[in-house]
């Protein structure tokens, strides 16, 4: 296809430069310490299919930072890999009667091609896949280190269970309480599950957020904080007749203890099973069945209708010796606090709703606003004067109420002040095939035995197709040859663990692996991690604002305690890009409003699509594709390219000799754009680049002309600035300017502040030959402006004394001479 002169051929440019970067290995870091290192990381993709508009946005943002830091002279590492274990591969394998790896690795290859075409400055030499044996061997190794340190343990817990398919379901396979495959109502079943003790690190996870202040979005820090959920309160012991152990409750309001009129235990707790009397057993068992069908979210919702059952016994309130009935109710959760509460209906809405329904007493112990909760049905919360509260009566604020009662309980030995976290231990085992096998062997003699390091990886058996279909606990259990093994400790018969790890385990350490991706003696080379980390900029979706970020922070702290890393936090800065939507809504098949990335690229080219995405608005904001015009982006890029094709000076010209006005515009742009990129305002940086393109066009067409050295200087900077978002046209421009490739190896120009200063000159004002004033004026002041300034000057006004000016003699900017009339 022939092109008009000064027109860049987007398809040809894409092929040409992609091949160049690949052969030149342009984006592999030197990693030799000759330059300061910077690590820029995008959250790695899941190979669900080809790249989509969401990827286009996220990776375009990361590339701006990565390419900018390169040009600023840093040795940048910007790696890529795949989070390649996960359930969709298993479903595809069942459907097509293949192995999950086939679907997975085929999709990865598709994404690789798209990533390469998308012109990202990625280091392909560090590519990893979490489902490779070479990778999951080290996931297992890390699991074993956690296990040795007591940070990985097993306990019983409830999982989603489909009674028809006889299988465990992941949360995402439960659709409105029903099995995604067969529609049967999902219930809960107790299974032995693996956990990591994230709770041991709760306080550190909270405290170290101080190091992220300013580098992470405030709302992400808030989400982390809420998830960890620190509560200060007390453990209070209620004695139970005929039972040695008292029941301990957790409360944030121990000061309301005199208002506790009943106790509630989580129905799905061990404690409820222990407490329930024989007479109440049938009613309790029936109730528990009902509870198992309720999701945790429903249980915590304030709208959820309160239900419960009396367990047939009473407990003793430690401060007044009162007997209060013990109930089981689903609004109390088994795994928060102690799984048991003291109910204070007057001052806790959930307790009040329950008390009113089951006709339990309500006793006000705090006068908050003069109202009576038993009458209004609204529990009163906050500070107030204590009533009916023994030693607390007379106090009026929560702080002293709480400390007084805690002191009393501690003295009696019936309670203590404590801190509770909402954070739970991380349930990491999955009853799935396509994941990292848990490297533990179960021996009848020795119990849980670690697979020795030199026998890692424990490889997945070769199950495919129908063998992966749900039946029983886990697909791996069906591989009986694989399950049967010998105990590494006693040599006796043993069974392999048939669970695999949550894929969040894989993604909790991949960023360490990138630092030394082929390291054979451990998950990573400690030295390489010391060189590269922490990550300077992490980019990814806000959907990972809680779990992924929390888990990788947890891993980092454990590795630090193991002496493998020397920092507390792995990611110094975090950017959450927005979403690409269409016509005001998330893109979806059912709405038919999907936008195909490949089609957009075919029509407008990579550069125009990337420019559109980055120019659309602040990186955190959503982009509505319906409002975008990639066609005008392309038009702008052609305008920019044409400028480069018109420059006639040679690379060795002296910029200092160039047009002063254009030089000033260029250096202003250098200063501003650098600042804008560093503060994450990429869209505004592009707007500045567009302005510089206009100024340069004017200079070429005007007095300066295409040979002016300032035109070359401006055009070079336009190309560099554009290279952050439109790398193909930028390389073309660089080449048109006669400069050696790649533009990615060029150096971002130094900003010369002196060139941008608005120079001023002292102007002398004479009246009838005598100096009557001295004024600071711009060096390029016009006669009109000079006259206006002079007439506004007090000294000049005084000596004119109202006379009209009949003649002006201007020798600007130094002198203005005025001749007044009579
Ligand atoms: C008595 C009380 C009186 C309470 C009062 C509150 C107000 P946070 O702040 O979220 O930590 N609670 C304790 N364990 C629970 C569990 N396993 N399931 C459901 N609720 C539980 O909440 C702590 C409060 O939630 C505790 O303080 C307890 O109710 C309840 F005027 O105890 B409180
Ligand atoms: Zn053994």
């Amino acid at each position: 296809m022939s092109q008009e002169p000064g027109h860049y051929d987007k398809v040809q440019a894409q092929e040409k430069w992609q091949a160049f970067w690949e052969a030149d290995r342009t984006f592999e870091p030197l990693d030799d310490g000759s330059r300061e290192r910077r690590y820029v990381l995008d959250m790695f993709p899941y190979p669900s299919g080809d790249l989509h508009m969401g990827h286009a946005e996220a990776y375009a943002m990361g590339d701006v930072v990565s390419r900018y830091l390169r040009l600023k002279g840093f040795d940048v590492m910007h790696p890529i890999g795949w989070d390649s274990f996960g359930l969709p591969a298993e479903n595809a394998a069942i459907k097509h009667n293949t192995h999950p790896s086939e679907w997975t690795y085929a999709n990865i290859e598709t994404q690789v091609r798209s990533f390469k075409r998308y012109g990202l400055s990625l280091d392909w030499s560090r590519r990893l896949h979490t489902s490779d044996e070479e990778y999951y061997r080290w996931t297992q190794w890390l699991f074993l280190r956690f296990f040795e340190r007591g940070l990985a343990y097993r306990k019983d817990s409830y999982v989603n269970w489909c009674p028809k398919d006889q299988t465990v379901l992941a949360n995402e396979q439960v659709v409105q309480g029903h099995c995604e495959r067969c529609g049967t109502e999902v219930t809960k079943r107790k299974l032995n599950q693996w956990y990591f003790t994230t709770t041991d690190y709760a306080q550190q996870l909270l405290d170290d957020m101080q190091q992220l202040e300013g580098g992470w979005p405030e709302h992400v820090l808030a989400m982390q904080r809420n998830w960890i959920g620190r509560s200060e309160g007390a453990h209070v012991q209620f004695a139970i007749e005929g039972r040695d152990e008292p029941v301990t409750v957790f409360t944030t309001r121990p000061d309301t203890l005199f208002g506790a009129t009943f106790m509630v235990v989580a129905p799905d707790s061990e404690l409820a099973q222990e407490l329930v009397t024989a007479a109440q057993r049938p009613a309790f068992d029936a109730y528990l069945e009902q509870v198992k069908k309720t999701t945790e979210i429903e249980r915590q919702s304030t709208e959820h209708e309160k239900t419960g059952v009396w367990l047939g016994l009473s407990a003793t309130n430690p401060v007044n010796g009162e007997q209060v009935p013990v109930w089981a109710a689903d609004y109390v959760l088994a795994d928060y606090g102690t799984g048991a509460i003291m109910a204070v209906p007057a001052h806790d809405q959930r307790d009040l709703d329950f008390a009113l329904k089951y006709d339990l007493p309500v006793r006000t112990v705090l006068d908050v606003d003069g109202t009576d909760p038993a009458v209004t049905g609204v529990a009163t919360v906050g500070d107030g004067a204590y009533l009916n509260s023994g030693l607390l009566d007379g106090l009026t604020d929560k702080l002293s109420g709480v400390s007084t009662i805690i002191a009393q309980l501690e003295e009696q030995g019936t309670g203590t002040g404590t801190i509770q976290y909402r954070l739970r231990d991380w349930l990491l085992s999955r009853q799935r095939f396509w994941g990292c096998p848990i490297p533990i062997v179960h021996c009848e003699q020795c119990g849980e035995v670690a697979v020795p390091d030199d026998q890692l990886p424990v490889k997945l058996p070769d199950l495919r197709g129908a063998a992966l279909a749900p039946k029983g606990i886990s697909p791996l259990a069906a591989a009986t040859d694989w399950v049967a093994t010998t105990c590494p400790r006693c040599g006796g018969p043993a069974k392999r663990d048939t669970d695999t790890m949550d894929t969040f385990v894989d993604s909790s350490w991949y960023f360490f692996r990138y630092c030394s991706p082929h390291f054979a003696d451990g998950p990573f080379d400690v030295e390489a991690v010391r060189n590269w980390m922490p990550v300077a900029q992490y980019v990814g979706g806000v959907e990972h604002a809680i779990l992924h970020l929390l888990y990788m922070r947890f891993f980092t702290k454990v590795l630090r305690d193991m002496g493998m890393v020397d920092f507390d936090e792995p990611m110094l800065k975090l950017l959450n890009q927005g979403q690409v939507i269409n016509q005001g809504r998330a893109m979806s098949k059912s709405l038919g409003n999907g936008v195909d990335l490949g089609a957009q690229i075919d029509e407008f080219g990579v550069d125009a699509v990337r420019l559109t995405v980055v120019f659309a608005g602040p990186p955190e904001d959503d982009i509505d594709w319906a409002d975008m015009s990639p066609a005008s982006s392309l038009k702008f890029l052609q305008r920019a390219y044409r400028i480069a094709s018109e420059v006639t000076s040679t690379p060795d010209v002296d910029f200092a000799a160039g047009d002063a006005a254009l030089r000033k515009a260029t250096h202003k742009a250098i200063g501003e754009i650098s600042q804008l990129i560093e503060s994450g305002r990429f869209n505004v940086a592009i707007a500045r680049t567009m302005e510089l393109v206009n100024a340069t066009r004017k200079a070429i067409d005007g007095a300066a002309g295409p040979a002016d050295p300032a035109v070359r200087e401006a055009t070079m900077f336009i190309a560099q600035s554009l290279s952050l978002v439109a790398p193909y046209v930028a390389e073309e421009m660089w080449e048109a300017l006669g400069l050696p490739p790649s533009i990615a190896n060029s150096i971002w120009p130094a900003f010369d502040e002196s060139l941008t200063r608005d120079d001023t000159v002292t102007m002398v004002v004479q009246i009838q030959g005598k100096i009557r004033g001295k004024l600071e004026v711009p060096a390029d002041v016009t006669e009109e402006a000079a006259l206006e300034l002079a007439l506004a000057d007090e000294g000049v006004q005084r000596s004119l004394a109202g006379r009209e000016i009949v003649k002006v003699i201007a020798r600007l900017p130094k002198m203005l001479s005025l001749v007044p009339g009579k």
Side-chain angles (χ1 to χ4, degrees):
M1 191 171 72
S2 80
Q3 292 285 355
E4 48 183 294
H7 199 84
Y8 103 100
D9 179 334
K10 56 187 195 298
V11 176
Q12 203 198 318
Q14 284 167 196
E15 283 166 7
K16 170 172 142 197
W17 292 106
Q18 207 178 294
F20 177 89
W21 297 326
E22 184 128 18
D24 181 54
R25 297 159 67 172
T26 310
F27 301 111
E28 292 177 27
L30 304 170
D31 203 5
D32 60 3
S34 62
R35 294 179 181 198
E36 233 186 286
R37 294 177 170 93
R38 285 289 183 278
Y39 185 174
V40 178
L41 183 63
D42 307 295
M43 287 181 187
F44 65 167
Y46 177 75
S48 52
D50 201 352
L51 299 187
H52 52 67
M53 292 304 290
H55 293 111
E57 176 174 20
Y59 292 96
M61 299 301 174
D63 217 39
V64 170
V65 179
S66 166
R67 286 177 176 270
Y68 175 73
L69 291 175
R70 271 188 73 91
L71 296 185
K72 290 290 279 186
F74 293 102
D75 194 22
V76 174
M77 173 164 77
H78 185 202
I80 184 77
W82 275 266
D83 187 14
S84 51
F85 272 135
L87 192 57
E90 232 166 296
N91 291 336
I94 295 166
K95 192 163 159 202
H96 304 297
N97 195 32
T98 59
H99 192 276
S101 66
E102 289 181 25
W103 180 88
T104 303
Y105 289 96
N107 283 349
I108 290 176
E109 286 315 317
T110 303
Q111 293 196 350
V112 166
R113 280 192 297 278
S114 296
F115 270 121
K116 288 189 172 169
R117 174 157 90 142
Y118 203 52
L120 300 168
S121 60
L122 294 169
D123 174 3
W124 288 96
S125 73
R126 288 169 195 263
R127 171 175 168 183
L128 58 80
H129 315 122
T130 59
S131 56
D132 287 355
E133 283 169 14
E134 186 203 356
Y135 185 90
Y136 75 69
R137 165 185 184 178
W138 298 112
T139 308
Q140 293 176 341
W141 186 93
L142 287 165
F143 175 91
L144 291 175
R145 299 294 84 77
F146 281 47
F147 179 66
E148 286 163 8
R149 301 174 75 86
L151 298 174
Y153 69 94
R154 283 207 306 166
K155 72 170 182 200
D156 278 345
S157 84
Y158 283 100
V159 293
N160 301 312
W161 179 257
C162 173
K164 176 155 178 289
D165 288 340
Q166 288 287 299
T167 191
V168 174
L169 299 175
N171 283 334
E172 53 271 31
Q173 294 174 297
V174 181
V175 181
Q176 287 170 342
H178 295 260
C179 172
E180 172 197 64
R181 297 169 206 261
C182 71
T184 307
E185 198 173 353
V186 171
T187 136
K188 294 272 162 54
R189 183 176 165 167
K190 220 172 217 183
L191 277 185
N192 211 239
Q193 301 278 333
W194 283 99
Y195 287 84
F196 283 143
T197 58
T198 37
T199 51
D200 281 4
Y201 284 82
Q203 192 58 47
Q204 285 185 40
L205 287 164
L206 210 52
D207 291 342
D208 290 347
M209 274 195 288
Q210 224 177 324
Q211 299 176 34
L212 305 174
E213 220 59 72
W216 284 32
E218 196 38 62
H219 66 275
V220 174
L221 293 176
M223 282 192 265
Q224 295 265 307
R225 224 172 265 127
N226 289 340
W227 193 259
I228 297 164
R230 186 182 198 270
S231 288
E232 286 178 23
H235 279 151
V236 183
Q237 297 173 2
F238 283 66
I240 302 233
E241 214 188 326
R243 191 176 189 268
D244 293 341
E245 282 280 293
V247 172
T248 302
V249 302
F250 170 68
T251 175
T252 46
R253 293 300 306 254
D255 56 323
T256 62
L257 185 50
F258 287 88
T261 54
F262 57 102
M263 180 188 266
V264 186
V265 178
D268 48 344
S269 63
E270 283 304 322
L271 185 62
Q273 294 288 352
E274 286 170 25
L275 292 177
V276 63
T277 60
Q280 284 299 94
R281 169 65 69 182
F284 172 75
D285 285 348
Y287 180 61
L288 183 57
E289 277 317 301
Q290 179 192 327
V291 170
K292 283 183 188 169
K293 290 181 184 143
T294 324
T295 66
E296 199 129 304
I297 312 234
E298 282 167 346
R299 284 176 62 169
Q300 292 184 63
S301 152
T302 45
E303 267 100 80
H304 180 57
E305 163 91 32
K306 303 275 176 303
T307 55
V309 60
W310 182 46
L311 291 179
L313 71 169
S314 299
T316 312
N317 185 327
V319 285
N320 57 13
E322 224 170 75
Q323 292 292 302
V324 295
V326 181
W327 286 66
D330 68 352
Y331 74 94
V332 173
L333 306 175
D335 52 2
Y336 182 63
T338 62
I341 67 156
M342 62 182 215
V344 184
H347 306 295
D348 183 298
Q349 192 61 45
R350 295 162 301 177
D351 297 342
L352 184 57
D353 293 344
F354 194 81
L356 293 177
K357 177 161 173 188
Y358 291 101
D359 212 13
L360 293 158
V362 179
R363 184 187 308 142
T364 305
V365 291
L366 265 180
D367 181 10
V368 177
D369 55 12
T371 62
D372 181 358
V375 176
T376 60
V378 180
T380 56
V381 296
D383 285 53
Y386 291 94
L387 323 164
N388 310 317
S389 289
L391 75 166
L392 301 183
D393 286 350
L395 299 178
T396 52
D397 71 292
K398 180 178 155 188
L399 217 60
S400 36
V402 169
S403 59
T404 306
I405 196 83
I406 287 177
Q408 165 82 0
L409 292 168
E410 288 181 350
E411 202 183 300
Q412 290 182 357
T414 50
T416 49
T418 187
I419 290 161
Q420 190 65 50
Y421 299 90
R422 197 150 282 281
L423 183 70
R424 323 262 172 102
D425 278 345
W426 172 5
L427 196 172
L428 72 106
S429 47
R430 296 288 180 272
Q431 292 69 45
R432 294 285 137 220
F433 171 76
W434 191 234
C436 175
I438 291 176
I440 294 285
V441 158
H442 300 279
C443 167
E444 271 179 35
Q445 304 303 318
C446 316
E448 291 160 2
V449 180
V451 173
D453 286 355
D454 61 9
Q455 290 172 32
L456 300 181
V458 174
K459 293 184 194 172
L460 284 168
D462 186 25
L463 293 185
R464 52 185 65 230
L468 299 169
K471 57 178 170 302
I473 305 294
S474 163
L476 280 174
T480 45
D481 288 353
W482 179 88
V483 174
T485 184
T486 50
C487 171
R489 193 174 296 159
C490 71
K495 286 182 171 172
R496 289 193 188 283
D497 199 292
T498 56
D499 288 348
T500 53
M501 296 184 215
D502 177 5
T503 55
F504 275 128
V505 180
D506 308 327
S507 56
S508 288
W509 73 278
Y510 75 112
F511 43 91
F512 293 116
R513 184 74 184 162
Y514 279 141
C515 298
S516 52
H518 310 295
F519 192 61
D521 302 325
F524 53 85
D525 177 359
V526 169
E527 190 61 31
V529 165
R530 191 167 302 142
N531 285 338
W532 286 107
M533 289 192 70
V535 168
Q537 177 74 64
Y538 197 30
V539 180
V542 76
E543 66 274 19
H544 292 304
I546 299 177
L547 292 183
H548 164 59
L549 297 179
L550 194 84
Y551 291 153
M552 62 147 211
R553 295 181 59 221
F554 163 70
F555 256 64
T556 302
K557 290 173 204 308
V558 174
L559 289 164
R560 180 205 54 201
D561 291 350
M562 288 168 62
M564 291 180 71
V565 306
D566 56 2
F567 43 84
D568 303 317
E569 289 292 335
M571 314 288 172
L572 296 178
K573 282 174 82 180
L574 172 69
L575 170 68
N576 289 137
Q577 83 285 349
Q579 283 191 314
V580 185
I581 59 174
N582 193 22
Q583 295 150 344
R585 304 227 231 153
M587 294 185 200
S588 82
K589 274 208 181 94
S590 58
L591 288 174
N593 66 342
V595 175
D596 183 59
L597 174 61
Q600 294 291 315
I601 290 177
D602 289 342
E603 189 168 355
F604 305 106
V606 168
D607 289 332
V609 169
R610 288 181 56 167
L611 177 73
T612 305
V613 158
V614 180
F615 186 49
E620 304 78 21
D621 288 6
D622 287 349
I623 299 173
D624 193 328
W625 201 251
D627 301 337
M628 296 297 121
S629 172
S632 43
S633 295
L634 179 57
K635 226 162 124 189
F636 162 72
L637 292 172
Q638 296 291 14
R639 259 167 69 76
Y641 177 74
R642 199 169 307 124
I643 286 175
S645 73
E646 287 173 16
V647 170
T648 53
S649 59
T650 52
D652 54 3
V653 291
D654 180 11
F655 296 152
D659 178 83
L662 185 58
R663 290 211 74 199
K664 181 170 166 181
T666 303
H667 281 266
K668 264 197 164 154
I670 294 169
E672 285 178 12
I673 290 173
S674 309
Q675 282 254 306
L676 288 163
I677 300 286
E678 283 162 32
S679 55
R681 298 168 65 202
F682 310 150
N683 57 322
V684 189
I686 291 175
R688 292 285 174 278
T689 309
M690 290 174 169
E691 284 164 22
L692 187 59
V693 166
N694 290 341
T696 310
R697 177 82 263 160
K698 264 194 204 140
I700 291 178
D701 296 344
D708 191 288
V711 167
R712 167 170 287 273
E713 183 183 33
T715 310
M716 280 174 67
F717 181 62
I718 291 167
Q720 289 180 305
S721 176
L722 280 180
S723 76
L724 310 183
V725 288
Y728 292 111
V729 76
E731 293 280 15
E732 291 285 306
M733 289 175 71
W734 206 246
E735 190 176 72
L737 288 168
L739 296 163
S742 157
I743 190 171
N745 293 328
S746 69
I747 292 295
W748 191 259
F751 159 56
D752 186 345
E753 214 245 311
S754 69
L755 288 173
T756 65
R757 233 175 276 141
D758 289 313
D759 292 329
T760 59
V761 180
T762 308
M763 178 179 78
V764 170
V765 185
Q766 293 185 356
I767 295 174
Q768 289 172 305
K770 290 205 180 77
I771 295 176
R772 297 292 185 191
K774 283 182 181 171
L775 300 172
E776 283 299 306
V777 299
D780 57 354
V781 71
T782 61
E783 186 175 323
E784 200 183 345
L787 185 60
E788 201 177 310
L789 285 166
L791 293 178
D793 182 79
E794 236 178 89
V796 173
Q797 283 176 2
R798 212 178 307 120
S799 82
L800 282 175
R803 290 175 292 173
E804 246 179 75
I805 312 267
V806 293
K807 196 173 174 195
V808 176
I809 304 153
R811 265 191 276 122
L812 294 176
K814 295 262 166 66
M815 202 268 295
L816 188 72
S817 184
L818 308 176
V819 182
K822 289 274 141 24

